[in-house]
Amino acid sequence: MEVKAELVGSVWKITSKPGDQVAEDDVLMILESMKMEIPVTAPKPGRVKEIRVKETDVVKEGQVLVVLE
Amino acid sequence: MADEYKSRVTDLHARRKKNLGMGGAQRIAKQHEKGKLTVRERIDLLFDKGTFVELGLLAEQQPIRGIEPSPDGSPADGVVTGHGEIDGRQVWVIAYDFTVMAGSMGAVGEQFKAARVRELALRYRKPIVWLLDSAGARIQEASGSTFAGTGWLFYDQVVMSGVIPQVAAMLGPCAAGTAYIPGLADFVPMVKETSSMSLGGARLVKAATGEDVTDHDMGGSQVHCYESGVGDNEVDDDAACIASVRRFLSYLPSNNSEPPPRMPSDDPPDRLVDGLEKIVPSNPRAAYDVKRVIKSVFDQDSWFEVKPTWAKNIVIGFARAGGHPVGVVANQPMSKGGILDSDSADKAARFIRMCDAFNVPLVYLMDVPGFLVGSQVEKEGIIRHGAKMLYATSEATVPKITVIMRKAYGAGYYVMCGKGYGPDVVVAWPFAEISVMGPEGAVNIIFNKQIEASSNPEETRSSKPAPKRSIARGASTATSRYETRRQPPGHTPGGALPPPGDLPLANAPRSNEFARIESARQPSLLRP
């Protein structure tokens, strides 16, 4: 399952790593946009398979950030 | 003579019994198999026990243009109509019966029954509820020149809009033109899995464009309550759907000339709200769930959220304050940082206009970093959507209360009923920041030259002050104490509550000029 950016912004802090078990609503990373910290959360429980961005990357709306399985 | 009378009465009873049996045992079983209730079970749930009065039970399909009616008949012509009571107040209903010709809208059911209910609901100024489970127009009865004369349905809905509350409960399919019924309604709950709506049903879509899609994939609640925003609340089943209709109507008056009903509340209006400072972080960048603020500030268990799953960066819904219904518009930092975008402005604008129409005071809980900027949102027309919210907030003449919880930046401050938009009172919490933009952005622009010329730009930037003087300049009319009580300033805590008509909330003074403009806006109720 792909977790996408809900708006344009930059990656401020990545708080999960591949292999992590996550529950629904767990914070995977925090984006920054319009001076706001925007948590990216897991829509469903799962395991982090891949993180496709690194801190300070600029991301577009709809861009895949994390892949869960 | 007596015998003839008796036989007629017997015949009447037999026809009544047959029509109360809807489409027959087999079709009823099929309806239940799909997890749906029958139209009459739904009506039982909708109205207070024993209050339903049915009109037009004996209606049947009539021969039209030489086409003989179905030999099985069409009990009630596929639509049950009448009125009943919800919490003791009269409400009218048009309920389609899927067990009779797939709930299709026939000539008798539509032109004589449904049209009559719309007319009477408007005449008596009572809310109207559609229970929708219908394949759409009965084509054999609606095609040709008959079609040209129809369309009153939506015209009537537009005339009723803002005069009486309209609810379209989606309990099954709602295809083709009938999909405009929810489009024009004030509240649209949708049952998960079984309900759908689309301007063209799957078969029509296939024929018209070649696209292969099912009714559910095209227009189920997963589309309309999450992506399109046409549906309001996704609910699990028919019973939950009807419960949500009753709940929704409990916050609204029967019509636009009455105040919304006040409920007794045993939640003390001067209750100290503990822990708000723990919910709202002082760091202006940090996220939190604004629904926790709403639930703790308003009367216990009074919060009823509308459109909870679409455009989640703004939260709208009804709550009660001291038993008095209010419409809440709150930024949601938990989603997209509470930044406003096209959908959230659209969502809020429509809700504000509904509250304004039905005399429901508005409470804006503001914590907004502004409108989203950038090329993507400009393509969406964010200026056009944002303008809808500016318009709705400006034209609303119900009492408006603005609470600045934290950030109040840019045009977000305007649309959330900032000082210029006629709020009756603006309350600012201790961390409130009112500005055209955040301090960091402002420092970058105001001290641009100094920062660029500096050998250490970071140090120069952080040495510049970010002014916080809006309260002193009168941008907000009051600052709450650190301890937060529920009552607005000026209230006597613990004092006896005035009767509803004397509530300061309901009777905020308006200038005569506003009243004159507002009365000129009342729609004409006469057909041309």
Side-chain angles (χ1 to χ4, degrees), chain A residues 1-2 5 9 12 15 17 20 22 24 27 29-30 32-33 35-36 40 50-52 55 59 62-65 69:
Chain A
M1 184 189 14
E2 293 174 336
W12 184 54
T15 54
K17 56 183 189 306
D20 281 2
V22 290
E24 190 177 329
V27 176
M29 67 175 65
I30 299 171
E32 185 188 355
S33 180
K35 309 282 178 208
M36 286 299 291
V40 176
E50 192 185 342
I51 291 179
R52 293 212 181 152
E55 287 177 7
V59 296
Q63 185 176 335
V64 177
L65 306 172
E69 58 181 2

Side-chain angles (χ1 to χ4, degrees), chain B residues 463-479:
Chain B
S463 72
K464 297 301 177 190
K468 287 183 188 173
R469 280 284 175 271
S470 55
I471 290 160
R473 288 180 191 162
S476 87
T477 40
T479 314

Side-chain angles (χ1 to χ4, degrees), chain B residues 186-200:
Chain B
D186 297 310
F187 180 57
V188 185
M190 288 189 83
V191 180
K192 213 173 168 170
E193 301 301 332
T194 51
S195 76
S196 66
M197 57 175 144
S198 55
L199 283 192

Side-chain angles (χ1 to χ4, degrees), chain A residues 6 32 34-38, chain B residues 284-285 336-337 369 371 407:
Chain A
E6 54 179 5
E32 185 188 355
M34 304 276 297
K35 309 282 178 208
M36 286 299 291
E37 292 166 15
I38 296 162
Chain B
R285 294 158 48 88
K336 295 189 181 180
F371 273 93
K407 292 178 308 304

